[in-house]
Amino acid sequence: MRQDTAMVLNNSHGIIAHCIFLERNMILPIYTYGNPVLRKEAQDIDASYPELQTLIANMYETLKESDGIGLAAPQIGLDIRLVIIDLDVLSEDLPEYKDYRHAFINPYILEYDEDSKKETMEEGCLSLPGIHESVTRPTRIHVKYLDENFQEHDEWVEGYLARVMQHEFDHLGGKMFIDRISPMRRQLIRGKLKNLLLGKFRCAYRTRLPRK
């Protein structure tokens, strides 16, 4: 059975779970700027979350179709703490990330290494098509998360992966990279943000606009 609208299920803990992933290899729409789910605090999940492995598989398919390197569950309309990252596409330039594809369940940044240098790089976001801005972030972070088998990990991460994690994990706290740019830059992109709300943009992947 396949459907694009959400089913609502109650799990054993009484948490409402929205399940739209009843078939593998589905390409899901990306929720764009203005959708309320992008500003919600995401919730932890456990192994009883319905169709979790199918959801993760569909997120990878959606990411591939969108030519992205990271995707957080709120970007497909789910307020749960789930992120996938695929850096294999960058392995020609960054060989250390060859075959790097990873799902992160209930991830948290525990601390930032304040002694590490900060780097400023241009970032974009599938939920903000056409917008790219320079963002300054720490280069080393301490994270904890569960993998797809619900094994716990507690580790320090550095380099480009640390940046991607920060970008994607921000989504789980209702933040986007535009929240980390200067007020002046935010003012300068107001027109672009308004156009996103109105659907006046082009991109090569499926999107879902905020309801009016």
Side-chain angles (χ1 to χ4, degrees):
M1 177 179 179
R2 174 173 177 167
Q3 60 182 43
D4 290 329
T5 55
M7 287 180 57
V8 180
L9 304 171
N10 282 297
N11 68 15
S12 60
H13 299 281
I15 298 174
I16 299 297
H18 298 270
C19 186
I20 57 175
F21 318 99
L22 302 182
E23 181 178 293
R24 282 182 178 266
N25 302 317
M26 288 180 65
I27 306 301
L28 307 169
I30 302 295
Y31 282 56
T32 55
Y33 176 78
N35 275 289
V37 68
L38 295 174
R39 294 304 192 181
K40 292 183 68 175
E41 185 79 27
Q43 301 178 22
D44 284 352
I45 60 173
D46 60 25
S48 69
Y49 191 86
E51 302 287 349
L52 180 59
Q53 294 304 317
T54 302
L55 164 58
I56 291 172
N58 289 340
M59 288 178 70
Y60 277 122
E61 288 295 322
T62 301
L63 186 63
K64 180 180 179 181
E65 183 73 13
S66 306
D67 289 327
I69 58 174
L71 186 65
Q75 293 180 274
I76 54 167
L78 296 174
D79 58 340
I80 60 173
R81 297 193 71 87
L82 174 62
V83 162
I84 63 163
I85 294 175
D86 183 351
L87 296 185
D88 181 64
V89 295
L90 304 178
S91 60
E92 186 172 328
D93 296 318
L94 299 171
E96 64 269 32
Y97 296 125
K98 178 68 175 175
D99 298 325
Y100 187 93
R101 298 173 79 245
H102 210 301
F104 301 86
I105 298 169
N106 302 340
Y108 288 90
I109 297 176
L110 302 179
E111 59 182 313
Y112 300 89
D113 184 354
E114 298 300 335
D115 294 328
S116 68
K117 67 175 183 177
K118 293 187 177 182
E119 283 188 344
T120 300
M121 295 180 63
E122 187 176 86
E123 295 188 13
C125 179
L126 296 176
S127 295
L128 292 160
I131 296 180
H132 298 83
E133 292 290 329
S134 294
V135 180
T136 301
R137 297 187 188 272
T139 56
R140 187 168 184 263
I141 58 174
H142 182 194
V143 300
K144 71 170 184 178
Y145 61 90
L146 305 175
D147 61 25
E148 292 183 50
N149 298 313
F150 280 83
Q151 297 298 307
E152 186 172 353
H153 298 258
D154 185 318
E155 58 197 34
W156 283 92
V157 179
E158 58 186 25
Y160 192 70
L161 177 58
R163 172 173 291 271
V164 178
M165 282 184 170
Q166 289 173 79
H167 178 110
E168 299 303 334
F169 295 0
D170 269 354
H171 280 298
L172 307 181
K175 295 182 182 298
M176 307 178 80
F177 80 85
I178 55 174
D179 300 324
R180 299 192 178 278
I181 62 177
S182 70
M184 179 179 293
R185 288 302 309 170
R186 184 68 178 264
Q187 183 70 16
L188 289 172
I189 63 171
R190 280 184 63 188
K192 291 182 178 180
L193 293 175
K194 182 177 180 180
N195 284 338
L196 287 180
L197 293 173
L198 297 173
K200 296 181 179 180
F201 62 89
R202 291 183 179 181
C203 62
Y205 48 87
R206 291 179 61 198
T207 59
R208 178 161 293 176
L209 301 177
R211 294 179 179 178
K212 296 182 179 178

